[in-house]
């Protein structure tokens, strides 16, 4: 065979024709070509196919054919093949590459390298580089070096051809291990050459990617030696266009996240360069004030007169952290204004955005992402950089005030929408700036951020521009989570700033006020409800009657947040106007999302008000039943589900339920109305539920079955033992849902993953698996409901006990969903109790329960679920009389499994202590404490089981010893007092 000929003429001809057919639009021809390639050629002559593809990649006359051959070679070479039953080395990888001879691998690699050097078409060369990258990575994984690739790549970085240089750096970016063993000075010289390439931005970007990969992959010593590479990296940024700069900044961000310390010496320069780029440009008709803020002098005019007097973060210039500092926040809004006081910054696009506007937007967001990522990766570092927090906060706030609302059209669409959930961009609102402010607050804490933010926010709320008022409110909502500990001290001032905005003339500002109050109620739960309920409700309740549907619906949503952290006595004085407003929304409104929100809020108010909700039952339940009776159209599916949920919850309020009862899905603490009162409505309500259950269900309807299961469980809680007649109707579909198998498909390695709604992709044991999440949630809900039925119905549940137990025991090993396993572990002791009360306990029953539990303990590696298994055994043992119920083999198996788990837990704790000994493990403290807390739960439940067997059991000493090995005990006292203010 000639040197340039890797495959026979016959193979080349046949394969060329197959490839030509693969790119045709005719499905049948393409399918036949695929079958010919995979079932005939690849199955019988894999080496010939690989060599032919390599030769076609280099020598095919048509560039499209060369490109397609390279892509196909990349896809096929690591495709799994069926295991050879004669191959005894079953642990070996099973891909085509692993079955190729060394000669074929060498010829393929040589052909690709020659193609890389010789190919003149950029698009083909890039495909070849990608194929080389995959081959190199696969080869390295198998411990097989490819020295020719290293020399060829270095050679191409010095090529006079732009495409060669760019492809070489593309390979280095994906395979940085090619140069990790090289002299650092040589590598830096090569990378710097690419970064300073004067002829091609693409080469510069590829070199940037390669530099980032090198710095990320290098060991700490090499990384320290290569830190000087940051200068040429950052020097690539200033000359770039908006589109190019966005691309470069996005490439830098992962490096900032993984190696923030590399940026430490460059923070002032980064800030000086990026902040002006992120800030919205002033209209050309405006001139910048002489007092323009700069990084060096961020607030030439001083703080806003209405700023809150938060203490500032101590700095070298201000070691006490006094309120008056040398470099306070930027003044906001800027002094220049147009149009009756509106700041020119807040309306950067009074026209439809152009392509240049969009490119600049992408650049600004990429720049902001880099700043926020650095802040998250090393908060203490950025807080020491003068002007950093001020600059990033200002960028976020100005960006939040840039709502694109040309002529008010977006506001009209926003107000009149029939489905707010479809507003992905919220009609021009730039969510990215709000999310960035939220992340920044969580990263650096309230002590550093809150004083800066509230130098801006009062001025924003006082602005003539509705967009700035909107931004100020959304900013308070965004920073509440990260600054709540400090904000709590100034909460009265914050509430006094926010509540007047409920009367704002602009609907989107009033909507933002609802959002702000709702978020404050979540992030400062109980504190704000307890101290400021009167101020909030006096402003929030009238908003339920706002003329705009979105506003009064969001006011109802904010009430949900308020009710989460309030007791019934606090809520009681406000119930009349709240219920009246919600019923008006339910009955007098045509928009479904408003009705759905009203129903959801009613349910939450009822739950929070408990017994004080008694008098509203006659008003609400008939309304709910009427809606359920009339809302029969398919598009009203979600409304029906919300009504079922609300009516069922109000039904629960008819009984006294112990909130500490671990078996109930919906525990409350007081009686709202009498059981007889609900019984009068329960017949019609249950008949309507049966009608819905028996109606044809659309295949994509995952909501209705789950809501039905949950609602029936609530009705069971409300009716108690009198629910028995309905068991015959609800149990068959419930058992069917509990028996649902995981809908799983394995994704082929060469198939790209496309996101599908209702599906989740996970990686396990080297495979990518796609799971339908709706089926998992259905199964989990079913077991939750079985828990309720078996607990409440007692002996009446006996006819279904065996079926339920036969589903619950295998579910202990349902590894696709932790909730299913936990619910199964909880339901088993209740089933044992049900069997005890029905005289169904015998040796076979006990073996069927305890054997799989003991087996599960033997192999369980998750400490959290191990605790659940021991708790399940302990509760079941107490029910059936303790140790006497266990046969000798079962007891021996339990003790053996317990000994093994104690040994394993001790080894884990010792290894953890050895690994962290002498190290500063502050960054791991939270994770370690969580792991040890889960292990502690398991040890506690293990101790309980041993004490049931024998209060003086010898293994109890071992349990105590393993507990004493807790590494995080020294931090317990700190954990009670710690805050997140130091980042």
């Amino acid at each position: 065979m000639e040197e340039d000929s890797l495959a026979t003429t016959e193979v080349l001809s046949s394969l060329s024709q197959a490839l030509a057919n693969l790119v045709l639009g005719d499905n049948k021809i393409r399918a036949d070509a695929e079958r010919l390639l995979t079932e005939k050629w690849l199955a019988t002559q894999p080496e010939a196919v690989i060599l032919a593809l390599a030769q076609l990649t280099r020598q095919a006359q048509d560039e499209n054919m060369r490109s397609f051959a390279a892509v196909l070679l990349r896809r096929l070479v690591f495709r799994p093949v069926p295991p050879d039953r004669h191959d005894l080395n079953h642990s070996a990888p099973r891909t085509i590459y692993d079955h190729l001879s060394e000669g074929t691998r060498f010829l393929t690699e040589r052909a690709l390298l020659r193609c890389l050097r010789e190919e003149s078409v950029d698009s083909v060369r890039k495909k070849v580089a990608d194929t080389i990258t995959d081959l190199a990575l696969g080869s390295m994984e198998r411990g097989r070096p490819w020295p020719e690739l290293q020399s060829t790549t270095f050679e191409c970085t010095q090529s006079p051809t732009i495409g060669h240089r760019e492809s070489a750096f593309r390979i280095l970016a994906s395979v940085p291990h090619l140069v990790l063993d090289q002299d650092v000075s040589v590598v830096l010289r090569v990378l710097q050459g690419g970064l300073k390439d004067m002829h091609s931005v693409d080469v510069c970007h590829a070199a940037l990617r390669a530099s980032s990969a090198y710095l990320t992959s290098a060991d700490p010593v090499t990384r320290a030696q290569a830190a000087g590479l940051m200068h040429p990296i950052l020097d690539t940024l200033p000359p770039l266009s908006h589109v190019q700069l966005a691309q470069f900044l996005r490439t830098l961000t992962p490096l900032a996240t993984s190696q923030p310390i590399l940026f430490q010496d460059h923070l002032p320069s980064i800030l000086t360069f990026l902040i002006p780029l992120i800030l919205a440009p002033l209209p050309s008709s405006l001139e910048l004030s002489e007092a323009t803020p700069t990084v060096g002098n961020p607030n030439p005019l001083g703080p806003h007169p209405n700023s809150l007097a938060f203490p500032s973060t101590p700095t070298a210039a201000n070691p006490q952290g006094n309120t008056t500092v040398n470099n306070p926040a930027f003044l906001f809004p800027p002094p220049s204004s147009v149009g009756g006081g509106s700041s020119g910054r807040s309306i950067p696009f009074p026209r439809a955005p152009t392509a240049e506007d969009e490119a600049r937007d992408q650049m600004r967001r990429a720049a902001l992402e880099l700043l926020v990522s650095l802040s998250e990766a090393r908060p203490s570092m950025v807080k020491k950089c003068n002007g950093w927090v001020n600059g990033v906060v200002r960028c976020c706030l100005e960006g939040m005030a840039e709502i694109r609302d040309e002529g008010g059209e977006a506001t009209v669409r926003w107000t009149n929408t029939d489905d707010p959930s479809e507003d992905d961009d919220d009609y021009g609102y730039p969510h990215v700036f709000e999310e960035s402010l939220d992340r920044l607050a969580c990263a650096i804490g309230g002590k550093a951020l809150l004083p800066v933010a509230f130098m801006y926010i009062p001025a924003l709320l006082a602005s003539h521009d509705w967009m700035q008022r909107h931004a100020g409110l959304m900013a308070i909502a965004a920073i509440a989570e990260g600054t709540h500990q400090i904000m709590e001290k100034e909460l009265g001032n914050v509430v006094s700033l926010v509540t007047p905005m409920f009367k704002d003339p602009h609907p989107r500002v009033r909507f933002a006020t609802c959002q702000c109050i709702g978020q404050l109620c979540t992030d400062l739960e109980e504190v704000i409800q307890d101290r400021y309920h009167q101020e909030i409700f006096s402003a929030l309740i009238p908003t339920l009657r706002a003329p705009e549907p979105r506003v009064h619906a969001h006011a109802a949503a904010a009430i949900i947040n308020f009710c989460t952290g309030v007791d019934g006595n606090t809520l009681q004085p406000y119930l009349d106007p709240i219920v009246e407003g919600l019923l008006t929304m339910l009955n007098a409104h045509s928009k479904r999302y408003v009705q759905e929100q009203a129903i959801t809020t009613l349910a939450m108010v009822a739950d929070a008000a408990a017994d004080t909700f008694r008098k509203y039952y006659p008003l609400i339940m008939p309304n709910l039943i009427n809606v359920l009776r009339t809302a029969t159209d398919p598009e009203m599916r979600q409304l029906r589900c919300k009504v079922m949920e609300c009516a069922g919850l109000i039904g629960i309020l008819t009984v006294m339920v112990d909130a500490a009862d671990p078996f109930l899905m919906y525990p409350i603490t007081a009686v709202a109305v009498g059981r007889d009162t609900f019984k009068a409505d329960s017949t019609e309500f249950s008949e309507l539920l049966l009608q819905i259950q028996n109606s044809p269900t659309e295949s994509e309807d995952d909501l209705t079955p789950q809501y039905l299961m949950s609602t029936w469980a609530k009705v069971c809680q409300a009716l108690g033992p009198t629910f028995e007649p309905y068991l015959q109707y609800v149990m068959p579909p419930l058992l069917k849902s509990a028996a649902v198998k995981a809908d799983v498909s394995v994704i082929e390695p060469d198939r790209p993953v496309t996101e599908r709604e209702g599906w989740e992709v996970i990686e396990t044991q080297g495979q990518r698996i796609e799971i339908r999440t709706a089926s998992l949630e259905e199964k989990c809900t079913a077991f939750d409901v079985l828990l309720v039925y078996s607990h409440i119905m007692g002996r009446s549940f006996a006819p279904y006990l065996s079926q339920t137990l036969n589903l619950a025991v295998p579910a202990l090993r349902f590894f696709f969903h932790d909730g299913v396993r936990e619910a199964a572990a909880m339901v088993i002791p209740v089933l044992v109790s049900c069997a005890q009360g029905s005289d169904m306990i015998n040796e076979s029953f006990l073996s069927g329960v305890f054997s799989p539990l003991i087996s599960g303990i033997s192999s369980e590696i998750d400490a959290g679920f191990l605790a659940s298994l021991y708790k399940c055994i302990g509760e079941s043992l107490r029910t059936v009389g303790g140790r006497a119920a266990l046969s000798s083999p079962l007891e021996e198996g339990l003790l053996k499994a317990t000994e093994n788990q104690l040994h394993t837990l001790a080894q884990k704790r010792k290894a953890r202590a050895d690994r962290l000994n002498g190290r500063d493990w502050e960054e791991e403290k939270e994770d370690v404490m969580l792991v040890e807390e889960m292990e502690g739960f398991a040890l506690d439940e293990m101790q309980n089981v041993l004490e049931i067997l024998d209060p003086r059991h010898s293994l109890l000493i071992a349990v105590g010893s393993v507990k004493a090995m807790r590494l995080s005990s020294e931090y317990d006292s700190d954990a009670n007092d710690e805050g997140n203010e130091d980042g």
Side-chain angles (χ1 to χ4, degrees):
M1 186 182 298
E2 297 180 7
E3 181 181 355
D4 287 348
S5 179
L6 304 181
T8 64
T9 303
E10 179 188 2
V11 172
L12 283 173
S13 175
S14 300
L15 189 59
S16 297
Q17 184 60 52
L19 295 185
N21 290 340
L22 281 172
V23 299
L24 292 177
D26 188 296
N27 290 334
K28 184 178 185 307
I29 295 177
R30 188 169 64 246
D32 289 342
E34 288 178 359
R35 195 159 40 250
L36 176 67
L37 178 63
T38 58
E39 295 181 8
K40 180 181 178 183
W41 290 100
L42 201 59
T44 59
Q45 303 182 61
E47 303 218 9
V49 171
I50 296 300
L51 289 172
L53 287 173
Q55 184 169 338
L56 289 171
T57 299
R58 182 175 170 227
Q59 296 181 347
Q61 294 298 312
D62 181 68
E63 65 182 66
N64 291 323
M65 184 64 75
R66 297 199 301 276
S67 180
F68 189 42
V71 171
L72 198 57
L73 175 58
R74 180 186 181 196
R75 289 180 54 194
L76 294 180
V77 71
F78 291 108
R79 172 175 286 188
V81 296
D84 183 353
R85 62 187 179 88
H86 299 295
D87 185 356
L88 300 180
N89 186 14
H90 296 298
S91 62
R94 297 291 177 180
T95 67
I96 290 174
Y97 179 88
D98 299 297
H99 289 271
L100 297 177
S101 67
E102 190 59 33
T104 296
R105 292 175 189 166
F106 172 77
L107 292 173
T108 301
E109 292 169 348
R110 187 178 66 174
L112 290 172
L113 291 181
R114 294 183 67 177
C115 183
L116 182 70
R117 289 191 294 262
E118 298 168 1
E119 179 60 57
S120 59
V121 180
D122 283 344
S123 60
V124 178
R125 191 189 299 108
K126 289 179 180 179
K127 297 293 193 302
V128 172
D130 291 340
T131 302
I132 289 173
T133 293
D134 277 13
L135 267 178
L137 292 172
S139 179
M140 289 180 177
E141 286 176 3
R142 291 158 174 80
R144 182 178 176 275
W146 189 358
E148 293 83 1
L149 174 60
Q150 185 183 74
S151 58
T152 300
T153 304
F154 270 113
E155 174 190 329
C156 287
T157 63
Q158 310 303 312
S159 169
T161 304
I162 289 175
H164 288 154
R165 301 198 300 274
E166 196 250 350
S167 294
F169 286 115
R170 281 170 64 94
I171 293 171
L172 290 178
S174 299
V175 198
H177 287 79
L178 279 175
V179 294
L180 289 180
D181 61 347
Q182 297 296 298
D183 183 84
V184 175
S185 61
V186 174
V187 177
L188 293 187
R189 187 164 58 250
V190 169
L191 294 174
Q192 288 174 8
L195 292 168
K196 296 177 180 179
D197 196 300
M198 303 294 293
H199 300 93
S200 171
V201 172
D202 289 339
V203 173
C204 287
H205 183 248
L208 175 64
R209 290 181 55 223
S211 300
S212 179
Y214 177 68
L215 290 170
T216 301
S217 304
D219 60 73
V221 174
T222 303
R223 191 180 302 120
Q225 294 174 342
L229 192 59
M230 292 302 297
H231 286 283
I233 282 176
L234 296 175
D235 284 344
T236 62
L237 303 179
L240 300 173
S241 69
H242 290 158
V243 173
Q244 295 164 347
L245 184 55
Q247 184 184 36
F248 276 58
L249 291 171
R250 283 194 289 266
T251 299
L252 266 181
T253 298
L255 180 64
T257 300
S258 63
Q259 304 297 331
I261 197 67
L262 291 172
F263 293 78
Q264 183 170 13
D265 295 338
H266 308 279
L267 293 182
S269 300
I270 292 171
L271 195 67
T272 302
F273 176 63
L274 292 183
I275 293 294
L277 295 176
I278 300 172
L279 293 175
L282 286 167
S284 57
S285 60
L286 297 178
E287 295 294 333
L288 285 170
S289 164
E290 291 182 0
T292 303
T294 65
V295 173
N297 184 22
N299 188 24
L301 301 181
H304 191 275
N306 293 329
S307 300
L308 301 187
F310 289 99
S312 298
T313 305
T315 64
N318 180 32
Q320 302 304 317
N322 298 324
T323 301
T324 304
V325 295
N326 292 338
N327 283 305
F330 295 112
L331 182 69
F332 196 106
S336 301
S337 61
V338 293
S342 292
S343 165
R345 287 192 186 276
S346 66
I347 315 178
F349 300 108
R351 48 173 168 70
T354 64
E356 175 59 23
D357 296 331
E358 295 294 340
R360 189 173 188 281
D361 262 1
Q362 293 301 314
M363 177 273 297
R364 294 172 64 206
R365 296 177 182 192
L368 182 61
E369 177 62 30
L370 177 61
L371 295 178
V372 174
S373 295
L374 274 169
S375 302
E376 291 176 318
R378 190 62 69 92
S380 58
M381 179 180 76
V382 301
K383 284 190 287 187
K384 295 174 184 175
C385 178
N386 189 30
W388 184 279
V389 176
N390 294 10
V392 181
V393 168
R394 181 185 178 183
C395 289
C396 293
L397 291 175
E398 290 205 21
M400 290 168 66
E402 295 169 21
I403 303 174
R404 295 179 180 175
D405 190 9
E406 299 80 26
E409 294 179 5
T411 292
V412 173
R413 296 197 306 274
W414 177 92
T415 303
N416 296 327
T417 182
D418 288 328
D419 187 357
S421 64
E422 295 180 356
D423 304 342
D424 293 335
D425 63 351
D426 206 9
Y427 295 106
Y429 178 64
H431 287 279
V432 66
F433 292 97
E434 179 189 337
E435 292 164 359
S436 297
L437 185 60
D438 180 12
R439 290 165 57 195
L440 182 69
C442 291
I444 68 174
K447 190 180 294 184
L449 184 133
L450 217 57
V452 175
F454 274 95
M455 285 180 177
Y456 301 148
I457 288 171
L460 286 169
L461 298 180
S463 172
H464 292 282
D465 185 345
W466 74 264
M467 299 181 194
Q468 291 192 359
R469 301 195 300 274
H470 184 280
L473 291 162
M474 298 301 283
I476 295 175
I479 66 177
E481 179 186 3
T483 68
H484 67 94
Q485 290 183 332
I486 305 299
M487 186 183 285
E488 183 179 329
K489 301 171 184 177
E490 292 284 347
L491 192 52
N493 290 330
V494 175
V495 171
S496 67
L497 278 174
V498 173
T499 49
M501 308 304 290
F502 279 107
K503 297 180 180 179
D504 194 276
H506 201 283
R508 296 189 72 170
V509 175
R510 283 181 272 119
F511 179 93
T513 310
C514 298
Q515 174 69 22
C516 182
I517 286 294
Q519 195 63 47
L520 289 173
C521 288
T522 296
D523 294 324
L524 290 101
E525 187 175 313
E526 296 184 2
V527 177
I528 191 169
Q529 288 94 329
D530 182 56
R531 297 181 189 172
Y532 303 105
H533 53 85
Q534 185 174 356
E535 293 88 337
I536 292 174
F537 271 140
S538 63
L540 181 58
I541 292 174
T543 312
L544 291 173
R545 297 177 177 80
E548 302 86 5
R550 291 197 69 170
V551 175
H552 57 239
H554 213 52
I559 289 176
I560 290 180
N561 295 52
F562 189 95
C563 288
T564 303
V566 73
D567 60 62
N569 292 332
T570 301
L571 193 59
Q572 195 276 332
Y574 310 103
L575 284 176
D576 282 353
I578 289 175
V579 172
E580 181 184 349
L582 293 173
L583 287 177
T584 300
M585 289 169 59
L586 176 61
N587 294 320
H589 219 289
S590 59
K591 291 189 181 292
R592 283 197 306 277
Y593 77 85
V594 176
Q595 294 176 310
E596 291 168 7
Q597 185 61 67
I599 291 167
T600 303
T601 305
L602 272 174
M604 288 301 299
V605 171
D607 194 18
D611 60 329
T612 58
F613 204 74
R614 180 193 311 269
K615 65 178 182 179
Y616 304 106
Y617 180 90
L619 291 173
I620 296 175
M621 186 59 80
N623 275 279
L624 296 177
I625 290 178
N626 182 58
V627 173
L628 202 60
R629 188 188 302 115
T630 57
T632 56
D633 295 337
E635 61 269 20
M636 304 183 84
R637 174 196 310 153
Q638 185 157 319
L639 178 61
R640 284 197 303 273
C641 291
K642 295 287 186 182
V643 171
M644 286 191 288
E645 181 180 51
C646 182
L649 183 58
I650 291 177
I652 293 178
L653 294 174
T654 63
V655 295
M656 176 68 76
V657 180
D658 180 5
D661 190 330
F663 299 106
L664 299 187
M665 297 171 65
Y666 314 101
I668 61 169
T669 56
V671 173
V673 293
R675 174 168 282 168
D676 291 340
T677 303
F678 176 68
K679 188 174 288 188
D681 296 306
S682 66
T683 301
E684 183 177 6
F685 180 49
S686 299
E687 287 176 355
L688 290 169
L689 292 181
L690 286 173
Q691 287 180 20
I692 295 171
Q693 180 173 300
N694 295 328
S695 299
T697 304
E698 300 174 29
S699 57
E700 71 275 9
D701 182 8
D702 295 323
L703 277 179
T704 302
Q706 289 206 50
Y707 272 89
L708 272 170
M709 282 192 289
S710 299
T711 302
W712 278 121
K714 294 170 186 173
V715 174
C716 178
Q717 284 186 235
L719 295 181
T722 60
F723 182 77
E724 182 180 359
Y726 296 104
L727 283 176
Q728 60 181 315
Y729 304 111
V730 300
M731 284 303 295
L734 180 61
L735 292 170
K736 182 179 178 182
S737 294
V740 163
K741 304 290 185 183
D743 196 347
V744 175
S745 61
V746 178
I747 303 174
E748 294 293 332
D750 59 342
R751 181 166 72 86
V753 179
T754 55
E755 290 189 8
R756 291 197 290 167
E757 186 176 355
W759 291 77
E760 180 181 351
V761 176
I762 63 172
E763 292 199 14
T764 177
Q765 298 178 346
Q767 289 184 314
R768 289 182 302 170
I769 296 176
E770 198 173 29
I771 303 177
R772 185 169 175 265
T773 53
S775 62
L776 302 184
E777 293 303 324
E778 177 185 358
K779 188 179 186 76
C780 187
T781 302
F783 274 102
D784 286 337
V785 174
L786 285 169
L787 178 61
V788 173
Y789 288 168
S790 57
H791 176 67
I792 289 180
M793 301 311 298
R795 292 185 178 184
S796 300
F797 192 76
Y800 309 99
L801 192 150
S802 296
Q803 289 173 278
T804 305
L805 190 62
N806 289 338
L807 291 171
V809 169
L812 294 171
R813 304 184 66 82
F814 191 80
F815 299 109
F816 296 109
H817 197 288
D818 290 341
V820 172
R821 301 179 76 201
E822 291 288 349
M826 288 182 70
V827 78
I828 286 174
V830 182
L831 296 175
V832 171
S833 177
C834 178
Q836 180 82 346
S838 305
D839 297 326
M840 297 174 64
I841 298 292
N842 54 41
E843 186 175 343
S844 174
F845 180 91
L846 293 175
S847 177
V849 169
F850 287 110
S851 289
L853 286 171
I854 294 169
S855 175
I857 285 175
S858 301
S859 58
E860 186 57 50
I861 59 175
D862 178 358
F865 190 63
L866 182 64
S868 299
L869 288 174
Y870 271 108
K871 185 176 182 180
C872 179
I873 286 182
E875 292 175 352
S876 299
L877 278 175
R878 288 190 185 94
T879 299
V880 296
R883 182 178 187 175
L886 284 181
S887 65
S888 295
L890 287 175
E891 183 177 352
E892 290 172 5
L894 176 58
L895 293 176
K896 181 64 175 176
T898 301
E899 286 180 8
N900 292 338
Q901 284 292 350
L902 282 169
H903 180 69
T904 300
L905 290 171
Q907 284 187 319
K908 287 181 178 179
R909 294 192 163 193
K910 184 178 184 304
R912 196 178 299 135
D914 291 342
R915 179 173 61 85
L916 298 172
N917 184 33
R919 286 178 45 194
D920 179 11
W921 52 286
E922 183 69 24
E923 293 184 4
E924 295 184 53
K925 184 174 71 174
E926 248 182 68
D927 293 336
V928 170
M929 291 182 71
L930 180 60
V931 169
E932 293 197 340
E933 184 180 21
M934 293 298 105
E935 292 173 351
F937 291 150
L939 289 166
D940 288 342
E941 296 298 339
M942 187 185 298
Q943 179 176 321
N944 291 337
V945 170
L946 290 172
E947 288 174 347
I948 292 173
L949 298 179
D950 182 356
R952 297 182 179 181
H953 202 287
S954 58
L955 284 178
L956 289 171
I957 299 175
V959 172
S961 299
V962 177
K963 284 184 176 182
M965 297 173 67
R966 185 180 180 195
L967 182 64
S968 57
S969 57
E970 61 187 279
Y971 290 96
D972 287 348
S973 58
D974 296 338
N976 294 328
D977 303 322
E978 69 178 356
N980 66 345
E981 300 312 313
D982 293 330

